[in-house]
Amino acid sequence: MALRVSVGDISAQFALDANALGNLKLQAKNDPKQALSAAASQFEALFMQMLLKSMRDALPQDGPLTSDTSKTYTGMFDQQIAQQLSKKGIGIADMLVKQLSKTLPQAPGSPDAPTTTSAKARSAIVLQAPATMIAPVRPSAKDAPAAPPTAGSVAATVQGFIDKVRPYAEAVAQKMGVPAHYLIAQAGLESGWGKSQPRASDGTLSRNLFGIKATAAWKGATVTNVTTEYTAGQMEKTTASFRAYGSYTDSFQDFARLLQKSRRYASALANTHDAGKYATSLQQAGYATDPLYAEKLTRAIQTVARYGPAAIPATQVVSAPADKRDDLA
C-alpha cells in the first residue's frame, strides 16, 4: 500500500522529491488556502536551510573524512533537517500566511466576498519575462460587463499600447502578409508593451519596438543597453547595441524588411495562418535566444486577439499614420 503524505506536511516529505512542487501547484488550484500554508512552510524551510548552510560554511572544511561526496550528503541532510524543524516553525510561515491570505478569493457569503457577478469577469493578465501577457478572461454573455481597466493598471497599459501601434502594424501587414495583431503582439513582447524600449544615455527613446540589434551592416543611429540573453539555456545579462529610429513607422517597416529579406525567416512568413507555427518558426530561425520565446509570443498574440477586433486582414490596405514622436514614452 502506497504511503500518501499531505502536501501541507512538508516534514514528512523527502527534501529532494521532484513531485512536491507539482503537488503543491495542483493543490493551489483545488484548495488555495491550504496551499498557501504549505508554500509558506516551504519558504520557512528554505530560510532555515540557508541558516544551516551558513553555519556549515563557518566551520573548517578540511579533514581526513572530507570529500565532495560527504559534502553532498551533508547538504542533503541539512535540507531534510530544515524541513523537520520547519514543522514547529519560527514564525515566518505564520506571518506570510497572515499577509498573503488577504489576496486569496473569498468564499461566497464571507464579509469580503464580491457582491456582484461582474467581479468574476474581471480581465486577468500576467506579465512574463520580459513582458509577455497571458490572454485575459473575457466576460461571458451571462455575466454583467466587467468594469473598464483603471488608469495605470496592467490591462490599461496593454490596451493603450494596442490602440497606439495598431495603425503602424496595419500599414505594413499588407506588404508582409502577416496579420496585424501578430505584429502588435511581437512589438508588445519585445518592448514590454511600450515600457521597455532601448534608450540612449540621455533617456531618449530608440523607438525600437522589436529589439532589433545593430549589426555592422546597420548605418543608422544606435543605442547601447543592457539586455537578457540565453546561452545553453542559461540566462545572463549583457550589453548590446540596438538600432534607433526616428519614428515608429520606421521601426515597423524595418522589422518587415528584416523578415522579408532574410531567408531564415521564410518559414515564419509561410506559417502566418497559425500563430503557434509562426512563433515557433521565428524561434527556430534564431530571432531570439529565449528558449520559451515561441510560447510567450503565442500567448501575446492570443492576448491582442482577445482585446478587440483581432483578425485584421493582412490584405487590408491602410495608409501609414503620421508619427507622434513620444506617444509611447
Side-chain angles (χ1 to χ4, degrees), residues 110-192:
S110 66
D112 297 326
T115 56
T116 61
T117 57
S118 62
K120 297 185 297 181
R122 295 174 187 167
S123 295
I125 307 177
V126 180
L127 282 173
Q128 293 192 11
T132 306
M133 308 305 297
I134 296 177
V137 178
R138 283 290 188 183
S140 63
K142 64 180 181 180
D143 289 323
T150 58
S153 68
V154 172
T157 297
V158 176
Q159 185 65 68
F161 178 83
I162 293 173
D163 293 341
K164 288 175 180 178
V165 305
R166 184 184 293 275
Y168 309 116
E170 291 175 345
V172 300
Q174 182 265 338
K175 295 180 180 179
M176 293 183 65
V178 177
H181 63 293
Y182 284 23
L183 305 180
I184 296 172
Q186 193 160 0
L189 173 61
E190 292 288 347
S191 69

Side-chain angles (χ1 to χ4, degrees), residues 1-5:
M1 181 176 65
L3 175 64
R4 301 185 62 86
V5 179

Side-chain angles (χ1 to χ4, degrees), residues 308-320:
I312 305 172
T315 56
Q316 180 177 341
V317 179
V318 183
S319 299

